[in-house]
Amino acid sequence: MLDTAFKEQLRQIFAGLEADYVFDIAVHPQHESRNELIELLEDTASCSDKISCTVRESEGLEFRILRNGEDLRICFQAVPNGHEFSSLLLAVLNADGKGKNLPDDATRRRIACLQGNATVTTYMSLSCTNCPDVVQAINVMTLLNPRLSHRIVDGALHENEVQQLKIQAVPSVWLNGESIHVGRSNLGELLDKLESKMGTDSSSQPTTEERHFDVLVAGGGPAGVSAAIYSARKGLKVGLVAGRIGGQVNETVGIENVTSIPYTTGKNLSSDLRTHLSHYENITICDNRQIESFSLQGSDKQLTVKGGEKFLAPALIIATGASWRKLNVPGESEYIGRGVAFCPHCDGPFYKGKHVAVIGGGNSGVEAAIDLAGICAKVTVLEFMDTLKADQVLQDKLRSLENVEVSTSVQTLEVQGNGEAMTALRIKNRLDETESILPLDGVFVQIGLAANSQPFAGELDTNRMGEILTDRNCRTAIPGVYAAGDVSDVAYKQIIISMGEGAKAALSAFEDRIKGIC
């Protein structure tokens, strides 16, 4: 199953393993995926004398990872190839205390303080690009907290279970039989949700001391990373506080417009951003953080994150980016994961042979419709404006597809459903003000991004879209506070522009430092 060249790469990856690991396989003799699973795991194990396999009979198909004979409480009910092969490799490396995805000490303490015993189940698809992030994050938390167990379930192999739970989107995360999350996420967000459901023993957390820097950067996307690097190159001590490095870039499948890089992926670019940060000893990366409060007045700006950590610096560069915009209509939140979706790559297969709508006629919406047209019986594109906004080449492709229908000047008023799943959209024709019901099996929302300026609302001036107002050099109305990238009112939301704005904000902060402004 694994070719010679790839096996050689695995030998190098596993070369530093210290403990002994066993893939404990339990599978029915007649299971259709039995041979595929055994071959994959035996090929993987053959790349290290520290890994072996055992096979025993059972009613279904699963395997667990043992470390020095101890069950690590990570159970794959799947054949982890495709995008999930990296989850298998990282599970072993993380169990050995290795891997760039392991959190820092403050986050480890939060994970260790989760109360009670819990089984987390992640329903995923091998074709989903967002699922590995969720699987790997929960695996890490399971390894760091002995009260957690994790089931990783391939929905394609467990269709009855998926249908019984009415799951229509992945990744879908359940805690002790209760749905707690659907869609893309990261360790910090998932930890927040586990804390809210399980509770946390705050008494066992040591009091966190204040952490002082010359410059604080809030946000780990292209703007934030660029700001951190430019500040570090000036010899300043930088604290980068973020949910995850790469930010929204992590969700981008293909990137072809960054000068000098003909093609890359969001995952690769995010990895490259982290690698670049690691070259500077004076940058402290504090990811998996959620800002809870702040103070922008006085000589030191302060950020307080969930868990109690406080970060202070005379200069603060806000680069918190943007998130997918929601419709904010009745029924939308109720049916997320049950007919309302945001990622066609991950959730499109659930709607094979069905009728779906894509809301949004920009590049992302038209690209989604083109992808879905190859899976669904019919795709209806709904655009609020009078014309589509996507590039002409995409529009030409869209209109060449026989099972795609485009409707412009349409406003979505409500997502309707039967209590278990969405069944229709209530829409309005903006030209004649008539309302109608559009029966559907699902809807994919692709209406752009909204600035993540909420943590600073009320203190900084924003426009009607929530973007932080800045001058041409990224300065806000408060001395020592700067904003860069998609969270600001910069005209164009592009990766390369965000990188430039981050650099500009850092240079402005350094200039103000020299002048004694901050």
Side-chain angles (χ1 to χ4, degrees):
M1 177 174 286
L2 303 180
D3 61 34
T4 302
F6 190 60
K7 284 185 176 180
E8 182 55 37
Q9 294 180 33
L10 290 182
R11 291 188 184 95
Q12 296 176 20
I13 291 172
F14 291 143
L17 290 180
E18 299 174 27
D20 293 316
Y21 296 90
V22 176
F23 297 143
D24 181 26
I25 305 167
V27 59
H28 192 279
Q30 304 302 318
H31 196 287
E32 60 181 359
S33 299
R34 173 189 171 90
N35 293 338
E36 182 184 11
L37 176 65
I38 293 174
E39 183 179 355
L40 175 66
L41 295 182
E42 287 185 342
D43 273 8
T44 303
S46 71
C47 298
S48 172
D49 58 7
K50 289 288 189 178
I51 307 176
S52 61
C53 292
T54 61
V55 182
R56 52 193 171 86
E57 293 186 8
S58 78
E59 291 302 312
L61 175 146
E62 68 176 41
F63 73 94
R64 296 172 176 271
I65 302 175
L66 310 183
R67 179 182 59 198
N68 294 334
E70 175 192 3
D71 184 356
L72 296 178
R73 308 172 314 287
I74 294 174
C75 176
F76 283 88
Q77 294 184 343
V79 181
N81 49 30
H83 293 297
E84 289 300 337
F85 189 69
S86 61
S87 297
L88 169 63
L89 300 185
L90 278 173
V92 175
L93 293 175
N94 292 164
D96 216 56
K98 301 173 176 63
K100 294 181 180 180
N101 63 320
L102 289 173
D104 60 11
D105 289 343
T107 305
R108 286 171 183 255
R109 288 195 294 268
R110 286 179 59 193
I111 294 170
C113 288
L114 290 171
Q115 292 184 314
N117 297 316
T119 297
V120 182
T121 301
T122 303
Y123 295 91
M124 58 78 177
S125 166
L126 297 178
S127 63
C128 171
T129 56
N130 291 321
C131 289
D133 289 341
V134 171
V135 169
Q136 292 160 23
I138 299 175
N139 279 347
V140 166
M141 288 190 276
T142 301
L143 291 169
L144 295 175
N145 188 319
R147 294 181 294 279
L148 289 177
S149 299
H150 189 201
R151 291 175 64 225
I152 303 113
V153 180
D154 180 1
L157 293 182
H158 298 80
E159 291 184 359
N160 290 338
E161 187 173 347
V162 168
Q163 291 173 3
Q164 182 180 4
L165 296 173
K166 299 179 175 60
I167 293 172
Q168 290 183 287
V170 290
S172 181
V173 182
W174 295 61
L175 175 67
N176 292 337
E178 175 189 358
S179 177
I180 64 168
H181 177 80
V182 178
R184 61 174 69 92
S185 192
N186 56 60
L187 190 149
E189 292 175 351
L190 292 166
L191 178 54
D192 289 343
K193 293 190 175 184
L194 289 181
E195 285 178 332
S196 67
K197 291 292 183 180
M198 298 175 62
T200 182
D201 182 8
S202 58
S203 64
S204 64
Q205 291 191 24
T207 301
T208 304
E209 295 183 0
E210 295 179 347
R211 305 178 70 173
H212 292 260
F213 298 91
D214 297 318
V215 177
L216 275 180
V217 178
V225 170
S226 181
I229 289 171
Y230 266 73
S231 296
R233 290 177 63 83
K234 294 297 185 181
L236 303 179
K237 183 180 178 182
V238 182
L240 190 155
V241 182
R244 58 177 171 172
I245 302 303
Q248 193 67 26
V249 166
N250 285 279
E251 319 306 340
T252 306
V253 178
I255 300 170
E256 300 177 319
N257 57 354
V258 175
T259 309
S260 83
I261 305 174
Y263 179 82
T264 187
T265 66
K267 298 289 186 184
N268 288 340
L269 180 55
S270 296
S271 177
D272 290 342
L273 292 175
R274 181 179 284 275
T275 298
H276 199 167
L277 288 170
S278 69
H279 289 183
Y280 296 89
E281 293 183 357
N282 50 334
I283 296 178
T284 300
I285 300 175
C286 304
D287 55 357
N288 299 310
R289 301 311 202 273
Q290 177 183 329
I291 297 172
E292 285 198 324
S293 62
F294 63 92
S295 174
L296 304 183
Q297 304 303 322
S299 58
D300 270 343
K301 319 309 176 195
Q302 178 178 296
L303 298 179
T304 302
V305 300
K306 190 164 186 177
E309 288 176 283
K310 296 183 187 297
F311 301 88
L312 296 96
L316 168 64
I317 300 173
I318 300 170
T320 44
S323 300
W324 291 113
R325 191 185 301 274
K326 294 182 180 179
L327 295 168
N328 293 320
V329 299
E332 179 185 29
S333 297
E334 180 182 354
Y335 290 108
I336 289 178
R338 298 189 296 163
V340 176
F342 298 86
C343 179
H345 305 289
C346 304
D347 303 332
F350 287 100
Y351 300 91
K352 182 178 181 180
K354 297 182 178 181
H355 181 194
V356 302
V358 174
I359 300 179
N363 283 349
S364 60
V366 171
E367 288 173 349
I370 292 170
D371 288 343
L372 291 166
I375 301 171
C376 303
K378 182 178 180 180
V379 179
T380 299
V381 177
L382 304 176
E383 166 57 38
F384 183 84
M385 303 302 290
D386 296 338
T387 60
L388 299 182
K389 304 183 294 294
D391 295 341
Q392 191 60 48
V393 64
L394 293 174
Q395 293 191 44
D396 292 343
K397 173 64 176 177
L398 182 73
R399 297 186 188 279
S400 72
L401 302 173
E402 295 182 355
N403 62 334
V404 174
E405 180 179 292
V406 177
S407 296
T408 57
S409 301
V410 174
Q411 180 180 358
T412 302
L413 301 177
E414 180 185 8
V415 177
Q416 298 182 343
N418 58 16
E420 295 182 349
M422 80 151 288
T423 57
L425 290 179
R426 183 167 63 90
I427 58 177
K428 181 175 72 174
N429 185 317
R430 295 177 53 248
L431 299 181
D432 60 17
E433 297 294 314
T434 58
E435 294 187 12
S436 60
I437 302 298
L438 177 62
L440 291 166
D441 298 300
V443 58
F444 288 80
V445 181
Q446 300 282 300
I447 56 174
L449 301 171
N452 292 328
S453 59
Q454 301 90 336
F456 306 97
E459 286 284 334
L460 294 173
D461 295 331
T462 59
N463 59 21
R464 64 180 180 82
M465 294 177 289
E467 299 167 340
I468 297 173
L469 300 181
T470 63
D471 66 12
R472 65 179 184 175
N473 293 317
C474 301
R475 294 180 175 93
T476 71
I478 298 178
V481 180
Y482 313 81
D486 288 0
V487 74
S488 75
D489 61 342
V490 65
Y492 303 106
K493 311 303 184 183
Q494 297 289 316
I495 292 171
I496 194 167
I497 291 175
S498 290
M499 290 178 172
E501 291 294 299
K504 189 194 297 184
L507 294 175
S508 295
F510 183 70
E511 180 181 353
D512 290 348
R513 180 184 178 89
I514 292 175
K515 294 179 178 178
I517 297 175
C518 66

